[in-house]
Amino acid sequence: MAPLRALLPFTVALAAVTPAAAADPSFDKAGVAFVAKYCVSCHGAAKPKADLSLHAATTDAAVLKDRKVWQSAADAVRGGDMPPKGKPQPTAAESEAFVQLVGGLFDRADRLAKPDPGRVTMRRLNRAEYNNTVRDLCYVDFTPADDFPADDVGHGFDNIGDVLSLPPVLMERYLAAAEGVMDRAVVVVPPKPVTRWHAAEHTEPAAANVPLRNKWRVVSGKPGAPGVESGPINVPCQGPADGEYAFRTRVYAETAGARPVKVALLAACDAAAPGVATDAEADALSGAGVKGLRPFKVLRIVEVKGRTEKAAESFEVALPAGLGVRRVAVALVKPAAGEPPATLFVRNLEFDGPLGYRPASHRKLLACDGSKPKAAQTREVLARFASRAFRRPATADEVGRLAKLAEAAVAKGGSWEAGVQLAMTAVLVSPKFLFRVELDDRPAGPDARPLDDFQLASRLSYFLWSSMPDDELTALAAKKQLTPNLEAQVKRMLADPKANALVDNFVMQWLQLGRLNLVQPDGTKFKAFDDQLRKSMRRETELFFGAVIKEDRSVLDVLDAPFTFVDERLARHYGLADTAGNKLYEKATRTKGKPIPRGGEFVRVDVSGTDRGGVLTQASVLTVTSNPTRTSPVKRGKWVLEQLLGTPPPPPPPDVPELEKDGKARTGSLRKRMEQHRANVACANCHAKMDPLGFGLENFDAVGAYRQKDDDVPIDPSGELPGGLKFSGPAGLKVILKGKKDLFARCLAEKMLTYATGRGLDTYDKRAVDKITQQLAANDFRFSSLVVGIDTSDPFRLRRGKD
């Protein structure tokens, strides 16, 4: 398919076309005359150069038939690449008129054509989507796809249906992963409870000399006694926070009073747990450490009647699930008025558990109406699971087959849990789970028609979350209310933490930052670079885009933003903090009085008025667009053209070596050597577009640190683009790029639409991209406007049958 970016050169030209010219372009006069005058001498009938003949196209229909060819021809004319030097050259007015003519012809054809949303190949879940879907479907913190083979990449992304193949080794991994996931999610045989017995001398609060009597810990009820003597004594409770436990202790007491000594058995727990002790209940307990133990729940208050070691008593209490127990403790209750303080002797604190433990995933997956017959419970559980896994309601036939599989396992002697687990494992290796299937009742129908709401929910969730739809999306789809509520759902989903997947899976691939894990700058030249700095570089970009998404900022912040995120290591690398790490340089960020932190904590910093700001000045991008030993203006310029402006240069001629491999002697600064290199006529045209962009970033070295000199040679960061557009340094370059905001917005829209639909764009997608970019500009380039524009576009919402 032809890349949509081939149309970009017409964007500016078409804006200047008069309504009459745009409405009725005709190629048979002015177009044919232009080609005859400037093109057929090289691209005629006899031995056409590059095997490209243009002489036969004399009508609109002929041009539209070979649209890709004429797109390239108009692109070459507008860029000044054609006609080549030494051949008759058209005037600027003639070139502009030809570009307008061809562009207007294509624009009219697009407007009159029937809407074509294209076709998306049924595609399997890629590794990120598989991990996230398993997490949300089975409620397990497990990433089995990390061991899968790497996904193939198409059109810059790893979620493109045409390249997501299914090799045999991957099918084997799917089988193993399904078993591993369900072993964690559904526990057929609960683990035996573990007994943890803590002797008195090993309880807390600890001290050099814990008060003991014959291995019994002494707890004083005397007012004002220090914490080590007054308690409450406690030990940590280790194990799943949602498990049930049994807590035991053995104690006796001494008192001069006549009444029994009261002792409280406590559980330090989550503040949200039911029955957390009130202030009055806490004040009723003795011990200097009561306040520090809160929040806690009083499990039981017992009366200790034993007064000697031989008469010691054992007490036990249950710890129910859901408390989030952190510690178990024993405390003396303050004596009644007029009663003397007591002394408590504790031999041990002991707890068993978890008891018959089933994880939260087990309880959620197997939840059902226990009053129903077992067969009905099986179908209830499997229908819910299969519907969520298939991203649509499971049919009665599908549920019936799964239920038979579960019942067969039970008939062979397995438990009900084992049977359901087996059926769920089968679901995880079903093509209906592994592939994003969009069933169609008219697979050969050529007309465009809407997806059903379940299919739309799936597209939406995998676009923004790289995961399955949640309950709210599914509920709206079931009521056929998702389409009218689409914009509200987009904003809700972007505010959800799962939207970080858009940064991890779209942004990092769009910016080609996956290579950051592989680059290895020369250690002798860039001694500051190490794996920790590499991680900080990546994290800066992640946090930056996370802020753009969550704060619904303008996408133009990508080109230049007044803020970024740094930790101590990155701040030093950027020159934002002095060697003490606690004082900002005069020209550094204005953090409203907040110093750069120590260690790995990231803070948001103001970089307005500095050379930093936007992705172009982030070390992650600057590092992946450099060579191991030096910067590369060519790579950086090419990256800007491809990833930010969507106007990639053609590949270099096969007979021209790279700068490092060029056998000719090159002397002087890098700029001088580059100028000598592009003296080759075959290189000059493309390098004239790329090199100035790269030279504008030369103040940043190969790992993104700022510099004024390169090997004692002063850096010249100025540049001049085709058309005589001049600038100097990163700040000047960013001004130039912001002046091309419409081109950047179009590039971003194309990249994101490709990612969202899982296919490459074609010429019939131009109308949708035009509408998305217009809506984006009309809404101050807000990020949510871009996403809403994509989600409401024809390629995203509609489908058609085979070509």
Side-chain angles (χ1 to χ4, degrees), residues 68-123:
K68 298 176 185 178
V69 170
W70 289 99
Q71 284 174 350
S72 299
D75 186 5
V77 170
R78 186 173 184 277
D81 302 333
M82 292 293 166
K85 291 182 179 180
K87 296 291 183 178
Q89 298 292 313
T91 65
E94 286 178 312
S95 296
E96 186 70 9
F98 178 74
V99 171
Q100 289 184 10
L101 176 62
V102 175
L105 179 62
F106 292 159
D107 186 58
R108 185 181 71 165
D110 291 337
R111 284 187 284 105
L112 297 178
K114 290 183 178 181
D116 186 350
R119 279 181 63 80
V120 179
T121 301
M122 183 180 76
R123 60 195 185 276

Side-chain angles (χ1 to χ4, degrees), residues 191-231:
K192 293 182 179 180
V194 177
T195 298
R196 297 172 178 83
W197 194 91
H198 297 268
E201 59 264 34
H202 298 140
T203 57
E204 299 181 20
N209 296 306
V210 175
L212 295 173
R213 179 195 290 180
N214 295 331
K215 297 187 178 180
W216 292 71
R217 179 151 185 175
V218 181
V219 180
S220 172
K222 183 178 179 180
V228 70
E229 297 178 9
S230 61

Side-chain angles (χ1 to χ4, degrees), residues 61 101 106 157 204 265 287 312 326 345 432 493 578 625 652 755:
L101 176 62
F106 292 159
F157 300 102
E204 299 181 20
L265 307 184
R326 307 185 314 275
F345 298 87
K432 299 166 188 176
M493 295 174 71
D578 65 11
T625 55
Y755 175 82

Side-chain angles (χ1 to χ4, degrees), residues 472-485:
E472 185 168 337
L473 283 175
T474 302
L476 286 171
K479 294 184 291 186
K480 298 184 179 180
Q481 291 296 308
L482 179 56
T483 299
N485 290 283

Side-chain angles (χ1 to χ4, degrees), residues 538-551:
R538 180 183 178 94
R539 188 58 180 156
E540 175 193 16
T541 304
E542 291 172 343
L543 291 171
F544 172 77
F545 275 95
V548 171
I549 294 172
K550 289 179 175 57
E551 298 170 19

Side-chain angles (χ1 to χ4, degrees), residues 162-455:
D162 288 341
V163 301
L164 285 171
S165 59
L166 184 60
V169 66
L170 183 54
M171 197 64 235
E172 294 174 4
R173 300 288 173 84
Y174 279 145
L175 291 169
E179 292 174 349
V181 168
M182 294 317 303
D183 282 344
R184 288 168 171 79
V186 176
V187 177
V188 175
V189 179
K192 293 182 179 180
V194 177
T195 298
R196 297 172 178 83
W197 194 91
H198 297 268
E201 59 264 34
H202 298 140
T203 57
E204 299 181 20
N209 296 306
V210 175
L212 295 173
R213 179 195 290 180
N214 295 331
K215 297 187 178 180
W216 292 71
R217 179 151 185 175
V218 181
V219 180
S220 172
K222 183 178 179 180
V228 70
E229 297 178 9
S230 61
I233 65 168
N234 61 89
V235 293
C237 185
Q238 300 169 336
D242 57 348
E244 296 181 359
Y245 297 87
F247 170 35
R248 290 184 294 276
T249 186
R250 185 167 177 79
V251 298
Y252 71 93
E254 292 180 353
T255 179
R259 297 183 180 182
V261 176
K262 291 185 177 182
V263 173
L265 307 184
L266 313 174
C269 57
D270 293 337
V276 172
T278 64
D279 290 343
E281 289 174 318
D283 290 341
L285 302 181
S286 176
V290 170
K291 185 176 180 180
L293 199 63
R294 299 187 72 179
F296 60 75
K297 180 181 177 66
V298 179
L299 302 171
R300 182 183 175 190
I301 293 180
V302 298
E303 293 184 348
V304 180
K305 300 176 181 178
R307 295 293 178 264
T308 65
E309 181 177 336
K310 290 184 179 181
E313 302 170 83
S314 294
F315 298 97
E316 180 174 328
V317 65
L319 297 176
L323 294 182
V325 178
R326 307 185 314 275
R327 289 180 173 271
V328 289
V330 172
L332 273 167
V333 178
K334 291 179 180 177
E339 286 289 312
T343 301
L344 181 69
F345 298 87
V346 182
R347 181 65 187 94
N348 64 281
L349 300 183
E350 177 183 357
F351 59 95
D352 298 341
L355 308 173
Y357 178 69
R358 296 298 204 291
S361 59
H362 180 108
R363 299 193 296 272
K364 290 179 180 179
L365 292 174
L366 272 59
C368 58
D369 185 350
S371 64
K372 293 180 179 179
K374 216 60 177 176
Q377 294 181 35
T378 300
R379 282 164 174 75
E380 178 185 346
V381 168
L382 293 178
R384 181 179 63 240
F385 184 77
S387 296
R388 297 178 67 236
F390 298 163
R391 281 86 64 176
R392 58 165 175 78
T395 65
D397 183 57
E398 290 168 336
V399 175
R401 289 199 301 271
L402 292 170
K404 287 181 180 179
L405 181 62
E407 290 163 358
V410 174
K412 292 181 180 179
S415 65
W416 179 74
E417 291 83 359
V420 172
Q421 183 193 61
L422 178 63
M424 289 181 172
T425 303
V427 169
L428 294 187
V429 293
S430 168
K432 299 166 188 176
F433 169 73
L434 297 174
F435 286 80
R436 291 172 56 187
V437 181
E438 296 176 349
L439 298 176
D440 190 357
D441 57 354
R442 289 179 289 161
D447 294 333
R449 52 199 181 276
L451 298 165
D452 71 39
D453 274 20
F454 287 105
Q455 294 165 350

